[in-house]
Amino acid sequence: MNAVTIFVHGFNGSADSTDHLIHGAQKNGWAQKMLVVKIKNDGAMDFDGELDQQVANPMVQVLFENNRAPERRQVSWMHQLLIKLRQSFGVEQYNGVGHSLGSNVLVNLAIKFGKDSRLPALKKLVTIAGPFNGLHGFLSQDTVKDVMTKSWEPNKRTHHFKKLVRNRHLFPKGG
């Protein structure tokens, strides 16, 4: 099976958060949505659909029942999902597409569990509007120049951002 592409919505997100990306890929013949995984607050997973070995570019949409769950919990859920995708569906590689907090979840998943042999290997990762340094300047009077230096580094680095930078060497090569 080719790499599956997994779509993860952001904080307070829903199917609407990634549907337009998935529909666009299908409409252009680039990929086919095969599976929707609903992850419940207790980590239980409902699978709607199947992964067909013959489909060239299968897509999986992930939906969190608790779409306001903390990032660390979503990372844990995604870790379990990837184990399940490998064990139950034979997925050996995956691409990740994250929107907003979904971006942070996928990056932190790759850093924390990138060497876990129970998981499929990360092939490619696309992050869309990931708040990797929090939401400085969001809905406030701060301008871009107040938030970023001329070299496009944040003026204020959150604990989370510092941890990402410190652990960036753990991110899988090629992702």
Side-chain angles (χ1 to χ4, degrees):
M1 174 184 295
N2 289 331
V4 301
T5 300
I6 299 172
F7 291 81
V8 181
H9 65 73
F11 185 81
N12 204 33
S14 67
D16 291 339
S17 303
T18 54
D19 273 347
H20 64 288
L21 298 169
I22 293 168
H23 292 310
Q26 287 189 140
K27 180 180 176 183
N28 287 294
W30 299 328
Q32 185 175 344
K33 181 176 173 180
M34 301 296 301
L35 190 62
V36 176
V37 181
K38 294 178 183 169
I39 301 178
K40 299 182 183 218
N41 200 32
D42 64 358
M45 298 175 204
D46 287 337
F47 292 84
D48 183 14
E50 283 291 326
L51 283 177
D52 184 342
Q53 299 281 348
Q54 305 306 313
V55 172
N57 296 307
M59 295 183 289
V60 175
Q61 185 177 39
V62 177
L63 304 173
F64 298 116
E65 178 182 68
N66 180 357
N67 61 5
R68 294 178 176 217
E71 179 180 315
R72 67 185 177 283
R73 184 172 297 158
Q74 292 183 16
V75 168
S76 176
W77 291 334
M78 289 298 299
H79 178 244
Q80 292 305 310
L81 172 60
L82 287 175
I83 290 171
K84 181 86 169 163
L85 289 175
R86 184 158 191 205
Q87 288 175 347
S88 299
F89 297 97
V91 174
E92 294 296 324
Q93 291 185 317
Y94 76 99
N95 301 311
V97 179
H99 174 254
S100 191
L101 183 62
S103 296
N104 293 46
V105 168
L106 289 171
V107 167
N108 281 287
L109 175 73
I111 287 172
K112 187 171 182 178
F113 296 108
K115 296 190 185 309
D116 187 338
S117 62
R118 298 173 296 166
L119 274 59
L122 175 63
K123 186 175 176 185
K124 297 290 179 187
L125 178 63
V126 175
T127 63
I128 303 167
F132 297 105
N133 194 37
L135 298 174
H136 298 286
F138 182 70
L139 299 177
S140 73
Q141 298 302 314
D142 293 341
T143 65
V144 170
K145 73 176 188 168
D146 294 331
V147 177
M148 306 295 282
T149 65
K150 289 182 181 177
S151 63
W152 294 100
E153 293 283 329
N155 286 326
K156 302 170 192 168
R157 292 179 176 214
T158 63
H159 169 73
H160 178 76
F161 185 83
K162 290 176 188 175
K163 185 177 174 185
L164 282 174
V165 171
R166 190 172 53 249
N167 292 319
R168 69 181 178 259
H169 67 281
L170 298 173
F171 191 87
K173 302 293 182 228

